[in-house]
Structure formats: structure tokens, C-alpha cells
């Protein structure tokens, strides 16, 4: 069974303090690893898809990387508006069209 | 270009009542996916539908839950005889036929509270 574990559950940073969020996964053949941002009371907002180990993608202050066992979401010099819950999900070969999500990391950036 | 529209945004039902959640996909999208987010838990897959077809309902509870996506109109997730444990946020996502879940967009969700 495909599984995703995110750590830490919650992270509090000062504005400008860079850090990384971790997503560890086990999957029966990875078709894609996804990062989403979710604000309170809202739906998940797509950020990145990574398909193979070694791949990296960037968007503003966010950079996602992928290895065969985990993915990192690096946040550089974050701002208060980056505060949100960040969700990681995998799509495996046996999963058809089913994304398997982790529980998320709740990120708070203090001004 | 409107996004995925879900309504109502909030729904309160008494135990034993029926809940109907609606999802209108983005224009040009014919694939719909429903996910449930229980308090303090991650999103869980429920069902994948195409127009007039249920493709994968392996995540749906065996009883009381059903889903449809008719030729015309929104996709409907129906929960009969709701219980307190059904209280959750229900999210719908949609995608184009040739992109499927890898390029799906989520709606804002319907938050169901059973009292």
C-alpha cells in the first residue's frame, strides 16, 4: 500500500528564516509526487509535480526536490504570506488515479 | 475561467438526514474526483468519475454513500442517513480527459457538520 509521511507536523519560523519540509514515501512505482498548499478553509492549491529522482522545481521562494525515498520542499527567506499547510501526495503505478496524501505540515511564518 | 465550483460551502445536517454535495468542474473538464478530509487527517480518495461513468469507487464507504456525474449538470456526492463521523471537508477536483489526476484542480470544498 502506498504511504506518505510528512514531517514536521508543524513548523514555526521567523520571517526570512529558511527551512525545509520533508515528505517520505513508499510507493509501488512512482508516477508522480505532488506538492500542494492549503490555506485555512480553502482547497488544495497545486504547486509542483516531480516525476523522477533528481528532479527539482522552483517557484518564487519554494523549491521542491525528489529522491527515491523522499521529497523536500525548501522555503528560502519566507514571508508571512507563506504561512499555510503544505501537502505532499504520491501517485503510484497501482494507484490508478488515486492520490495518496500525507497529513501535511502546518507552516507559520512570524513577522 | 471559473475554477472548480463546489456548493454549498458549508452544510449542517442532523443525524439521519441526507446530504447532497455538488461539484461543477472547470470548463472543458470531464473527469471528477472526490476526496474527504477528516479532522486532523489527510485527504483520502473516495471516487473517480467520468461523464455518466463511475471509474473507481474503491475509496467510498460501502453503505450510505453514492456519487454520480450525469451527462448534464454537476457531479453529486450523496450521503444518506448521515452520522457524526461523516463530519468532514469534502473536496472535488476536476481534470481534462488527457491529463487526469496529474493536472487536476481542487475546489474550495464543502464542510459538512452533522449535529
Amino acid at each position: 500500500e502506498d504511504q506518505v509521511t510528512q514531517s514536521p507536523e508543524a513548523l514555526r519560523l521567523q520571517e526570512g528564516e529558511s527551512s525545509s519540509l520533508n515528505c517520505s514515501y513508499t510507493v509501488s512505482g512512482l508516477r508522480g509526487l505532488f506538492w500542494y498548499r492549503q490555506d485555512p478553509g480553502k482547497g488544495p492549491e497545486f504547486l509542483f509535480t516531480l516525476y523522477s529522482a533528481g528532479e527539482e522545481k522552483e517557484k518564487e521562494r519554494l523549491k521542491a526536490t525528489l529522491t527515491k525515498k523522499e521529497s523536500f520542499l525548501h522555503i528560502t527567506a519566507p514571508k508571512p504570506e507563506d504561512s499555510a499547510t503544505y501537502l505532499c501526495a504520491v501517485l503510484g503505478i497501482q494507484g490508478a488515479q488515486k492520490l495518496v496524501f500525507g497529513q501535511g505540515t502546518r507552516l507559520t511564518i512570524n513577522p | 475561467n471559473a475554477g472548480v465550483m463546489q456548493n454549498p460551502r458549508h452544510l449542517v445536517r442532523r443525524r439521519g438526514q441526507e446530504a447532497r454535495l455538488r461539484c461543477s468542474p472547470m470548463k472543458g473538464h470531464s473527469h471528477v474526483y472526490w476526496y474527504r478530509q477528516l479532522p486532523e487527517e489527510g485527504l483520502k480518495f473516495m471516487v473517480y468519475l467520468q461523464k455518466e461513468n463511475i471509474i473507481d469507487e474503491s475509496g467510498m464507504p460501502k453503505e450510505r454513500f453514492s456519487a454520480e456525474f450525469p451527462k448534464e449538470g454537476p457531479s453529486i456526492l450523496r450521503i444518506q442517513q448521515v452520522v457524526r463521523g461523516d463530519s468532514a471537508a469534502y473536496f472535488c477536483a476536476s481534470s481534462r480527459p488527457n491529463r487526469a489526476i496529474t493536472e487536476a484542480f481542487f475546489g474550495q470544498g464543502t464542510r459538512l457538520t452533522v449535529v
Side-chain angles (χ1 to χ4, degrees), chain A residues 2-9 22-25 33-36 38 44 85-91 99-106, chain B residues 35-38 40-44:
Chain A
D2 299 343
Q3 287 190 323
V4 176
T5 303
Q6 291 187 247
S7 61
E9 288 187 17
N22 177 263
C23 171
S24 298
Y25 65 91
L33 184 140
F34 303 77
W35 282 99
Y36 291 86
Q38 187 175 26
T85 295
Y86 290 85
L87 304 174
C88 173
V90 296
L91 182 65
L99 289 173
V100 176
F101 281 85
Q103 291 188 261
T105 293
R106 190 171 59 255
Chain B
Y35 283 76
R36 177 166 67 173
Q37 189 172 38
L38 292 164
E40 306 304 321
E41 292 189 21
L43 286 140
K44 305 284 188 198

Side-chain angles (χ1 to χ4, degrees), chain A residues 34 36 38 41-44 49 87 91 97-99 101-103, chain B residues 9 35 37 40 43 45 48 56 58 91 100-101 106-108 111:
Chain A
F34 303 77
Y36 291 86
Q38 187 175 26
K42 301 286 182 68
T49 306
L87 304 174
L91 182 65
Q97 295 298 317
K98 290 184 281 192
L99 289 173
F101 281 85
Q103 291 188 261
Chain B
R9 292 293 309 278
Y35 283 76
Q37 189 172 38
E40 306 304 321
L43 286 140
F45 169 81
Y48 164 39
D56 181 353
S58 58
F91 292 96
I101 194 66
F106 282 84
Q108 302 285 39
R111 278 145 189 86

Side-chain angles (χ1 to χ4, degrees), chain B residues 66-90:
Chain B
S66 63
E68 63 176 5
F69 188 16
K71 186 176 179 180
E72 301 290 337
S75 174
I76 305 288
L77 180 67
R78 181 183 179 203
I79 312 172
Q80 295 178 292
Q81 299 175 329
V82 296
V83 301
R84 289 240 170 93
D86 297 332
S87 295
Y90 292 81

Side-chain angles (χ1 to χ4, degrees), chain B residues 20-32:
Chain B
R20 279 181 171 249
L21 288 61
R22 288 177 291 277
C23 170
S24 296
M26 290 178 66
K27 186 176 181 180
H29 288 197
S30 60
H31 294 205
V32 165

Side-chain angles (χ1 to χ4, degrees), chain B residues 25 28-33 48 93-97 99-101 103-105:
Chain B
H29 288 197
S30 60
H31 294 205
V32 165
Y33 317 81
Y48 164 39
S94 74
S95 68
R96 290 178 291 166
R99 293 298 186 192
I101 194 66
E103 290 190 15
F105 295 86

